[in-house]
Each structure stands twice: as structure tokens, then as C-alpha cells.
């Protein structure tokens, strides 16, 4: 990101006043509306997402959470609402929420052009579903959203000079191992862990339609994804990737819901089970198995609008280290 | 609130599993969906609400904001998004957002049964509208929402034993001065400032339909409401009140948008203009006049469902001083 960009973000209360912003906001409105229409028509109900709490997603690889002083104690801002979705599916087996998330990303995340410190996800969870079920759901949802935007926001896409194809389903699927092979053949040095930003972007550039990377190795992810019973050491999970260099779109998978195994997984990941109070108590009482995902609204807006820098895909961007409205 | 209630909130990850919660959540889903449908049909577009920022609504009367350490500096959690709505209306004259709000209410707020520390509002703003315009908008919106809930969530309302009338419009209106007169005749000692919780509840109990209190005195409210040109010392603002003891529903009004007068108002309220960086810079550049409101989703759910305690009107309640999921 250039210094000029940083200044535009800092001055967002002025720089927002552009035709591009209006087009972006009108597309974003249609994305939100069409996504909810799709989910409700499929039997999902919307819940209010939590904002703060004593327990949230630890993520993987040194994610820094933000916290507030709550009457002398510490509450965290949600980094994702996975555990809360699991709390609700015993009551209502199909649930979604527009969730507010804050993650204090490292300063170097600015150069990826796709990291924001605060962002919104459409968070979806379904009881007794497999990870392949919710992958199919997301494919149909994205098709529906892009069709609606193309039809109801035609002028805005034209003004943004964005030619967007409705993706064909099913999206191409790579296992994590296959993706690593491809990346190695492209000259990337990748080890058995989270795929680095640059490698992910290269893979994305090589595609013209959204695609999946499935079955990440267990140590590349947080403790709450379910291990694949037929492929020990690998998970029943996925990332959705946008094409054309837009990179990661969404993450999801089946959840580990068995108390003993969750505690064991935490220990192996260096997480202290004592810090997961209500979440582990809930697993002890028992919850149904489920699968779900969170899809970032700003990243989807960026892809749909053909915007290169994520900060332009939200009215109030926050990027690492910079104070802005 | 009883000790038993506090325990149920603390154990929400278990106590949520009740038929009442399912009914509440299904009603809440319909409230959210019908409200957005109404607003979009009226030409409003949805924006993503901010979560944290350097400037937020100071409220009136010692509201305590929560804040995070943001790369060594302080950002506040939004206590309301009024200033951000004003940022957007130069681009899109009708805007709404489901906004996440955190206010560290005093511990005694627990006994009002209608205060949560974190809550969601449907935040609405319209450029060049009068406060009476947006009052009419809210009346039509509430009518529409209650009609849709009664029609699409009939079974749930029956199960909750809730008989709910579609309110007739226009709602009854009292000026603040008229409301104070009535309260004095009821034996309340009220001075010229924010109406106390108990008095507000008594007034609410005396009504069977929602009603308005308009034109609060200037020192009862924060600096950003517009002073009435024909009634100096009073504002072009309103509170919406639910009947049957449910109390305050929403606040709103016309916004002070003139830089010099806003600074002058801040000074009179004891606010330091230097702490309002981007907001005052924005007023200096100039924004259109506007009016708007925020209506609390949990309080509306509480009223529609006929639930006495606000914490039952959200899956993840936070009340003052208590740690819960």
C-alpha cells in the first residue's frame, strides 16, 4: 500500500466522497441482501452476533486479540463467533449472523491488500452437516449473490469497469496436499502449515473461477476443526479462494464437538483449556456435530467490484497500526 | 433481577436450551428481516457498521465507553454510530446499518430489566429529512414489522402467550414538557433533564400503544441534536416509548451539522472539541442536514415477545458487572 493510500484511509471522512465509494456501497448492499435472502429461503434463521466475551476463536499462528476492561475484568472482542454458533445449533439447526470481528493483524499485513483489522463475516452454521454439505451450500450461495448483483447492480459494475462471470458449480477442488504440490512446481518453498500470503495469491492468479483448498494438516489450523477419520493428521475443513489474485474468501469445516478430544487438541496446540471456560462446559454437556463457515463481506465486495485494495471495499476501513474514522 | 436470573445469564451456554429461546430467536429473525425489507423498499441501502474508532457518541450523563489498545493507541468501541452515518449521507442519502454497540452501564442498570452492556441497533439516517419525517418512517416501519411477525411467527407468539396489537398510526405525541407535567401529576419529582428510569416506566405502563416524547431540553441530551429554531433551549429530537411498562424503544432527531455551533455546544456540555478530530473536520468540510434514529433490536424483541427481562431477548446477553458467554 502506498503512503497516499494510508493518507486516504486516515482521511476517510473526506476521501469517502467519491463516485467509486457510492458504487461500492450499492454493490455491498445488494451482496448483504441477496445473501440473507438466499439463507432464509434455505431455512436458516438470523441471530444477533456477540461483540465481546470471555472466550473467542484463538485462530492459528499468533493471532492477536483485542480486549476491553469490563468492570475490572477482561473481555475479548470476537475474532470469530464459531463457538457461539455451536451454542445455538442445539436450538435451531440452521443459523447465520452478520458478525463483527476484530483481529490485530501484524503491521506487515498492510501490504497484502486484503487484510483489515475489523471486518464483518456472514457466519453460517448447520447441525449434522458435513463439510461437503456446507461447501455445496456456499457454491449455490455465491452463484445466487453474483447473479443478483449482476442483475440489480449492473450500472455500478459497469461504472467500476468490472466484468464478472457467474461461477459454474461445483468449484474446482484441491486438497491441501495437491495445492502444495502445485505451489512447489511454481517454485514456492512451502512447508506443512498455513499457506503463505504470497503463495496463496499466486495460486489465485492462476485461476479464473473460485476454487477450494480442502483438508488442511492438523497443525496448520486451530483446535476446533474435526480430524478426518480416514486421513489422520488432516482435517475436514476448507478454504474458499477467489480467482484473479483476490485470494482467500472464506474458511470453514466440520467442528470438533467431543469434549475429551477438544481438550487433547488444545493441549497439543499449546492452548490452556482453563481459558476456555464456558466453551468446554458446553462440550461436556454435549452439542450436535455441525459444519459451517464465515465469509468476509469486505473481501467478497472487493472481488465482486474488482477493487484491488481491501480498504476501498468498506466505508470505515481499519488497517494495522493506522488510526482512521 | 434475581440471583437466579444472574446465574442463568452466567450459564447462558446451558440455559439457552429452552423452548422460550427458540421462540424468541425465531421472532427476532423475523424482526430483522422485516425491518430490512421495509427499509430497502423505501430506498434505503445497508452499510457495514464500524466496530471501533477514535470517536464515538459521548451520550449524555456519564456514559462509560469501552476501549481497546490498538497498536499502542486507544480506540473506542462504538456506543452509537451517529457520526459515521453522517459521514455516509453525502454519498447515499438514505442509509441503515445493524450496528454493534457497547456501553458500560452502571451496575444499578441491572434492576431496570431493559439495559444490556452490548446491544444491536437498527440505525437509520436520511439526508435533508426533518425529525418528523423520520418519526413517520419509524411508525410505518413498526407497523410493518409487527404485522409481519404476527403473520409469520403466529405460533411462536401464541406459545409465548403474547397478544400483540398492530399499533395505529400516528402514535400519540407528548412534548418533553407535557410528559413532565403528567409525571408530576403522577407524583414523580422530575427536573429538567433526562427522565429517570422509574418515571419513564410509569409513563409506559399508563399506555397501551407506543408513543413519542419529543423536544427534550438541550441540557438533557448530547451536543449533536439540532436546537429548535422556534423554541430555544429545546431540541428537534424524540424518544419512542413502548407501552405496558416496556419503556424506551428508540432515540433520534435532527443533527447539528454546523461546525461552529457544534463546537460551541460541545464547550457548553463540557466536551473537549480536540477529542472529536475527524468528526469536526468533517463538519468543517460540510455535510447535508439529516435526521435519523437507532432502534434497539433486543428491546423491540422483548416488547414483541412480551418478555420481562431484556437478557432473555438475545442469545448472548451481557449485563453490567457480570461475565457471561
Amino acid at each position: 500500500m502506498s503512503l497516499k493510500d494510508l493518507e486516504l484511509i486516515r482521511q476517510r471522512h473526506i476521501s469517502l466522497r467519491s463516485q467509486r465509494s457510492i458504487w461500492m456501497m450499492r454493490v455491498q448492499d445488494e451482496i448483504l441482501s441477496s445473501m440473507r435472502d438466499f439463507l432464509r429461503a434455505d431455512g436458516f434463521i438470523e441471530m444477533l452476533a456477540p461483540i465481546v466475551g470471555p472466550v473467542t476463536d484463538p485462530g492459528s499462528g499468533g493471532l492477536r486479540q483485542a480486549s476491553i476492561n469490563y468492570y475490572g475484568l477482561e473481555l475479548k472482542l470476537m475474532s470469530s463467533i464459531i463457538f457461539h454458533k455451536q451454542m445455538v445449533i442445539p436450538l435451531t439447526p440452521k443459523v447465520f449472523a452478520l458478525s463483527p470481528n476484530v483481529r490485530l493483524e501484524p503491521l506487515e499485513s498492510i501490504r497484502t491488500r486484503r487484510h483489515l483489522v475489523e471486518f464483518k463475516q456472514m457466519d453460517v452454521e448447520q447441525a449434522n452437516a458435513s463439510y461437503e454439505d456446507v461447501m455445496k451450500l456456499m457454491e449455490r450461495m455465491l452463484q445466487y449473490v453474483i447473479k443478483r448483483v449482476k442483475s440489480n447492480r449492473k450500472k455500478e459494475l459497469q461504472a467500476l469497469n468490472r466484468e464478472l462471470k457467474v461461477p459454474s458449480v461445483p468449484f474446482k477442488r484441491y486438497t491441501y496436499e495437491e495445492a502444495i504440490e502445485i505451489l512447489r512446481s511454481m517454485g514456492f518453498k512451502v512447508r506443512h502449515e498455513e499457506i503463505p500470503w504470497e503463495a496463496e495469491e499466486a495460486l489465485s492468479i492462476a485461476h479464473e473461477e473460485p476454487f477450494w483448498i480442502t483438508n488442511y494438516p492438523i497443525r496448520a489450523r486451530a483446535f476446533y476443526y474435526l480430524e478426518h477419520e480416514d486421513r489422520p493428521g488432516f482435517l475436514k475443513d476448507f478454504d474458499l479462494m477467489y480467482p484473479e489474485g483476490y485470494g482467500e474468501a472464506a474458511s470453514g469445516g466440520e467442528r470438533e464437538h467431543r469434549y475429551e478430544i477438544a481438550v487433547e487438541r488444545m493441549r497439543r496446540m499449546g492452548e490452556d483449556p482453563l481459558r476456555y471456560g464456558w466453551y468446554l462446559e458446553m462440550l461436556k454437556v454435549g452439542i450436535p456435530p455441525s459444519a459451517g463457515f464465515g465469509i468476509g463481506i469486505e473481501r467478497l465486495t472487493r472481488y465482486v467490484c474488482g477493487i484491488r485494495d481491501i480498504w476501498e471495499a468498506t466505508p470505515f476501513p481499519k488497517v494495522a497500526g493506522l488510526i482512521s474514522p
Side-chain angles (χ1 to χ4, degrees), chain A:
Chain A
M1 206 179 291
S2 67
L3 280 175
K4 195 189 152 211
D5 276 358
L6 293 177
E7 189 56 21
L8 289 172
I9 298 169
R10 212 180 60 72
Q11 296 278 341
R12 189 61 164 167
H13 49 295
I14 314 293
S15 70
L16 184 64
R17 301 189 190 186
S18 72
Q19 279 296 322
R20 276 177 72 80
S21 302
I22 299 176
W23 301 326
M24 179 281 288
M25 289 190 67
R26 289 181 51 80
V27 170
Q28 196 159 62
D29 163 72
E30 189 68 25
I31 287 173
L32 289 167
S33 161
S34 56
M35 215 178 251
R36 291 201 195 88
D37 288 350
F38 174 86
L39 289 167
R40 289 188 99 240
D42 210 73
F44 285 81
I45 77 159
E46 180 170 2
M47 70 171 190
L48 296 180
I51 306 166
V52 294
V55 179
T56 186
D57 181 359
S60 58
L63 166 67
R64 269 192 60 211
Q65 294 163 338
S67 59
I68 62 168
N69 178 332
Y70 187 85
Y71 303 91
L73 296 162
E74 189 194 32
L75 285 193
K76 292 165 186 159
L77 273 70
M78 290 295 127
S79 53
S80 92
I81 63 161
I82 290 170
F83 304 152
H84 289 85
K85 290 192 293 185
Q86 289 180 281
M87 197 199 299
V88 163
I89 47 136
L91 288 89
T92 166
K94 288 175 148 190
V95 73
F96 73 96
L98 180 65
S99 67
N101 301 273
V102 172
R103 297 181 190 171
L104 299 174
E105 300 284 355
L107 291 176
E108 61 266 29
S109 69
I110 287 187
R111 70 184 160 78
T112 68
R113 301 172 142 198
R114 66 180 170 81
H115 282 89
L116 290 169
V117 173
E118 67 162 59
F119 60 99
K120 297 286 200 308
Q121 294 189 86
M122 198 61 86
D123 250 297
V124 175
E125 195 79 14
Q126 183 172 346
N128 303 306
S130 70
Y131 72 113
E132 291 176 313
D133 290 338
V134 295
M135 287 166 76
K136 281 178 202 150
L137 179 79
M138 178 126 73
E139 287 175 346
R140 285 192 293 121
M141 184 172 85
L142 268 189
Q143 261 202 335
Y144 178 81
V145 167
I146 291 176
K147 267 185 201 158
R148 274 249 316 242
V149 171
K150 278 179 71 96
S151 145
N152 294 351
R153 292 294 184 262
K154 200 174 172 174
K155 273 196 290 185
E156 288 78 5
L157 289 183
Q158 272 171 355
L160 286 160
N161 206 9
R162 177 60 167 161
E163 276 183 48
L164 189 66
K165 273 191 301 186
V166 177
S168 42
V169 298
F171 301 163
K172 192 155 189 171
R173 287 188 191 192
Y174 304 96
T175 63
Y176 171 86
E177 302 253 282
E178 288 165 348
I180 293 293
E181 272 315 299
I182 296 170
L183 285 169
R184 281 182 182 148
S185 75
M186 290 166 82
F188 283 97
K189 281 177 192 148
V190 276
R191 285 179 305 169
H192 250 214
E193 49 195 33
E194 193 69 89
I195 298 172
W197 293 330
E198 295 80 359
E200 211 174 77
E201 192 178 327
L203 202 58
S204 169
I205 289 172
H207 284 80
E208 291 188 355
E209 300 238 344
F211 60 98
W212 299 103
I213 302 177
T214 65
N215 309 117
Y216 279 69
I218 201 162
R219 66 200 138 142
R221 292 280 150 126
F223 62 80
Y224 48 71
Y225 285 116
L226 200 69
E227 193 172 359
H228 204 304
E229 61 273 21
D230 300 332
R231 300 185 56 205
F234 293 88
L235 301 170
K236 289 181 143 180
D237 76 329
F238 55 80
D239 271 4
L240 177 69
M241 307 289 290
Y242 294 126
E244 306 169 53
Y246 290 100
E248 191 187 333
S251 289
E254 290 177 40
R255 316 298 181 188
E256 181 53 75
H257 56 281
R258 297 159 298 181
Y259 172 77
E260 285 82 7
I261 299 177
V263 170
E264 167 61 26
R265 287 277 297 279
M266 281 180 181
R267 291 216 171 97
R268 271 200 277 163
M269 307 291 281
E271 293 282 341
D272 180 359
L274 288 176
R275 302 182 66 177
Y276 288 86
W278 70 259
Y279 167 71
L280 284 178
E281 281 174 37
M282 173 180 80
L283 295 195
K284 221 171 193 171
V285 171
I287 51 168
S290 67
F293 57 79
I295 178 166
I297 300 299
E298 297 86 350
R299 287 184 178 180
L300 177 54
T301 305
R302 173 179 176 248
Y303 167 63
V304 168
C305 290
I307 290 170
R308 275 293 144 189
D309 283 297
I310 187 84
W311 68 267
E312 274 203 275
T314 175
F316 315 116
K318 304 281 179 317
V319 298
L322 187 72
I323 299 277
S324 54

